[in-house]
Amino acid sequence: MMTVIGAKYSPEADPDFVPGEGQTMDDAPDVESPDLLDIKKGVKAMKGSESESSVLVLAVEKEEEAPKIDFIDKGPNSKGLTDMRNRITNSVCRHMGVPPVLIGVAEAGMLGNNQQIVNSIKLFNLTVEPARASIIAPLAKLYPELSDWSVKPLNPVDYLDPTVAQKMTDDEIRAFGGLPELEKPQSTDAERTLQALAGLPALVANQVLADMTEDERRGLIGLGPKTTTPTPAT
């Protein structure tokens, strides 16, 4: 923006203007002075024909008539636009029934909360259930040979409540995470015999032990057969 000061640069009424019906000489259009035209030609030559920039040339008679340029701080405006964008996003989510956390616009500290995400998914499934039912109903009529039109809700996040986990076995917890069961050591014959004896009444267990050979009883506790020292020949 360029400002030139002086009466010679100010536009003047067109002296060749002829008033029409209902017009006076006050309606004559302004005509730029030759001095102002020279200024504009010089500016145009200075910026070059290939330049994409634009230059505004203003002409005033007195310095106090020159326009004043005030720069507006864009900081508060940018913050307002950001807040407005968040409000619009939340409004759309509210009207569409979509929990904001499912599209990543919730509070940053809550995006890592699996419990909140699972609860939001369950809530969203309840919201879309009427629409899902309205879609399935005509399909069931058009294709009656397909008896099962149930739709399983998508649960992309697995969440195991700590209270429930305390009541589960190790194999159940591994199965929840998609892991196979742990390999259990195979019981030996002696271990199985001891387990069977432990489940018997004391009198019955003692009778069973009495019917066993000495080597069998030693084998139950991990001892080998009893060896005897041969009597030397005389």
Side-chain angles (χ1 to χ4, degrees), residues 127-139:
T127 303
V128 301
E129 181 60 32
R132 183 187 295 122
S134 64
I135 294 174
I136 292 176
L139 293 176

Side-chain angles (χ1 to χ4, degrees), residues 2-153:
M2 178 179 180
T3 302
V4 291
I5 301 173
K8 63 178 181 178
Y9 300 113
S10 300
E12 298 178 352
D14 185 1
D16 299 329
F17 173 73
V18 178
E21 184 178 355
Q23 290 183 326
T24 63
M25 289 301 298
D26 294 336
D27 298 320
D30 291 337
V31 178
E32 294 178 337
S33 66
D35 295 317
L36 183 59
L37 291 176
D38 291 339
I39 291 289
K40 289 187 174 183
K41 289 179 181 179
V43 171
K44 184 176 181 180
M46 180 177 59
K47 76 185 188 73
S49 60
E50 297 180 357
S51 174
E52 296 294 335
S53 60
S54 299
V55 179
L56 173 63
V57 180
L58 299 177
V60 294
E61 293 185 5
K62 300 178 181 178
E63 184 175 357
E64 55 268 20
E65 295 177 357
K68 180 182 178 182
I69 301 176
D70 293 324
F71 293 94
I72 300 176
D73 183 9
K74 65 179 181 179
N77 292 334
S78 299
K79 186 178 184 303
L81 293 176
T82 302
D83 295 340
M84 181 183 298
R85 180 178 182 180
N86 294 334
R87 291 197 302 271
I88 293 174
T89 303
N90 290 328
S91 298
V92 172
C93 288
R94 183 171 61 254
H95 288 296
M96 299 297 293
V98 180
V101 69
L102 297 185
I103 61 173
V105 296
E107 298 179 7
M110 301 298 292
L111 291 179
N113 190 331
N114 288 343
Q115 178 63 67
Q116 186 202 18
I117 296 177
V118 170
N119 291 341
S120 299
I121 293 174
K122 292 180 179 178
L123 177 63
F124 186 55
N125 284 331
L126 293 176
T127 303
V128 301
E129 181 60 32
R132 183 187 295 122
S134 64
I135 294 174
I136 292 176
L139 293 176
K141 292 182 178 180
L142 293 174
Y143 303 96
E145 66 277 7
L146 301 178
S147 58
D148 187 10
W149 280 96
S150 59
V151 178
K152 183 179 180 181

Side-chain angles (χ1 to χ4, degrees), residues 167 218 222:
K167 306 296 183 181
R218 290 175 60 86

